[in-house]
Amino acid sequence: MVKLTKKTLGKSFHHWYYGNLTCFSQEHMQTFGYLSSMLPIVEELYSKKEDQAKAMHTYTAFFNTEPQLGALIVGITAGLEEARANGADGVDDETINGLRAGLMGPVAGIGDSLIVGTLIPIILGIALGLSNGGSPLGAIFYIVVWNLLAYFGMKFAYFKGYELGDKAVEFLVGPQGQAIRKSVSIIGGMVIGAVAATWVPVKTAFKLKDSSGKAFLVLQSQLDGVYPGLLTALFIVFCWWLMAKKNLSPIKVMLLLVVVAFLGVLVGFFNPGLKY
C-alpha cells in the first residue's frame, strides 16, 4: 500500500500556496497552479513515467475557485489520488474531475463571502484605524496578520481535506454548507456596511442664507438630526446599483463619481475644502 509522506503533502501544499495563480489566464484560470500542486503527489505515488503522465492528465481540466479555501479541494484530491494509486474502486478520472467541478462553485461562494467579504474588510478596518496620522503601523499590521492567517488557514484546509477525503463534499454542498454561506454573506454585508459608514463619510456644504448673508438652513445639520450618515448610505447604495443592476465596471463608477463630485462643487453642494 502506497502512503503519501508528510514531506510530499507539505510540498504539494506549498506549491498551491505560492503558485495557485501560476500562468493565470481567462482560458485556464488556476489549472496550472493545480497541476503544480499535484505534481509531487503523482511523482511519489507512481514510479513509472507513463503512469505519472496519465495521472497528471486528470488535472488538466479547467479549474477556478477562491484560492484560500480552495486548498481544501486540493487536499481532497490528494487523498483521492492516493486511494486511486492503491486500487480503490470507483476512483477514476471522471470521479476526481466531477468532484473538482462540483466543489469549485460552493467553495468559491463560501470563500468569497468569508475571506473577501468578511475577513479582509475586518483586517483592513483595523489597519486603517492604526494608520491615523500617517503611521506605518497599519500597513505592517495588515501585511503580517493577513499572511499569517492566509498561510495557516490554507494549510489547515489542505490537510483537513486530505484527512476527510470525499466526506468533506457532503458538508460543503449539503444543507449545512448552504446555511454557512447564507450566514457568512449576512455577516459580510454587515461588515461592509460598518466599514463604509466609518471610512466613507459623504457630507454636503449646501446652505440657505437670508438677505444679510447669515445661514438659516444648513442641510448637513438637518440631515444629521434626522438620519446621520444618510448621504453616505445613499452613496453606497448608488454605487451598488450601478455595478449590480446596470453592470458598470468599478472604473466607470469611479469616473462617474469624479464627474458628480466636480459638478457638486461647481453648484455649491459639495465643499472641496470641507474636512471630514
Side-chain angles (χ1 to χ4, degrees):
M1 180 176 179
V2 184
K3 183 71 175 177
L4 290 169
T5 62
K6 288 186 177 180
K7 181 179 179 180
T8 299
L9 290 170
K11 189 176 181 180
S12 171
F13 161 71
H14 284 99
H15 280 204
W16 176 255
Y17 176 73
Y18 291 111
N20 56 74
L21 298 179
T22 298
C23 300
F24 187 90
S25 68
Q26 294 300 316
E27 181 181 0
H28 300 288
M29 296 293 186
Q30 297 168 346
T31 300
F32 295 112
Y34 210 119
L35 280 168
S36 176
S37 65
M38 291 304 297
L39 184 59
I41 303 294
V42 169
E43 287 180 336
E44 181 166 277
L45 292 176
Y46 304 98
S47 57
K48 297 181 179 179
K49 293 295 183 181
E50 312 87 71
D51 295 335
Q52 292 178 4
K54 183 179 179 181
M56 287 300 294
H57 183 73
T58 305
Y59 305 99
T60 58
F62 175 86
F63 184 80
N64 186 52
T65 191
E66 199 283 318
Q68 279 71 49
L69 197 58
L72 180 72
I73 305 178
V74 185
I76 291 174
T77 50
L80 291 177
E81 192 62 59
E82 182 183 79
R84 176 164 69 168
N86 286 290
D89 295 332
V91 181
D92 52 19
D93 290 1
E94 185 177 350
T95 301
I96 295 175
N97 274 324
L99 182 141
R100 293 201 310 153
L103 287 181
M104 283 192 301
V107 168
I110 297 173
D112 288 342
S113 299
L114 183 62
I115 307 298
V116 181
T118 303
L119 180 61
I120 291 179
I122 290 175
I123 300 175
L124 281 174
I126 298 173
L128 287 169
L130 295 173
S131 299
N132 284 337
S135 171
L137 187 60
I140 297 172
F141 170 83
Y142 181 79
I143 293 171
V144 173
V145 172
W146 166 245
N147 280 283
L148 287 176
L149 289 177
Y151 180 82
F152 289 105
M154 291 175 70
K155 190 172 185 178
F156 174 81
Y158 179 93
F159 282 93
K160 184 57 65 175
Y162 172 72
E163 293 173 10
L164 293 177
D166 57 0
K167 294 180 181 178
V169 178
E170 183 179 354
F171 174 77
L172 286 172
V173 302
Q176 289 179 318
Q178 294 177 0
I180 290 176
R181 289 196 297 275
K182 185 176 180 180
S183 60
V184 168
S185 296
I186 294 173
I187 295 174
M190 294 172 61
V191 171
I192 292 296
V195 171
T198 304
W199 297 103
V200 191
V202 180
K203 297 182 180 181
T204 179
F206 182 80
K207 299 177 182 179
L208 290 178
K209 300 180 181 180
D210 56 23
S211 57
S212 64
K214 183 179 180 180
F216 64 88
L217 174 63
V218 180
L219 181 57
Q220 187 61 52
S221 298
Q222 297 297 318
L223 292 175
D224 289 342
V226 177
Y227 191 149
L230 176 61
L231 290 180
T232 298
L234 293 175
F235 168 80
I236 298 299
V237 172
F238 177 62
C239 292
W240 168 82
W241 178 76
L242 290 174
M243 290 186 286
K245 300 299 182 181
K246 295 300 180 180
N247 297 319
L248 291 183
S249 67
I251 294 178
K252 291 181 179 179
V253 172
M254 286 188 286
L255 291 174
L256 178 60
L257 293 177
V258 170
V259 174
V260 171
F262 179 75
L263 294 177
V265 170
L266 285 181
V267 301
F269 191 79
F270 297 125
N271 185 353
L274 190 64
K275 293 183 179 180
Y276 300 142

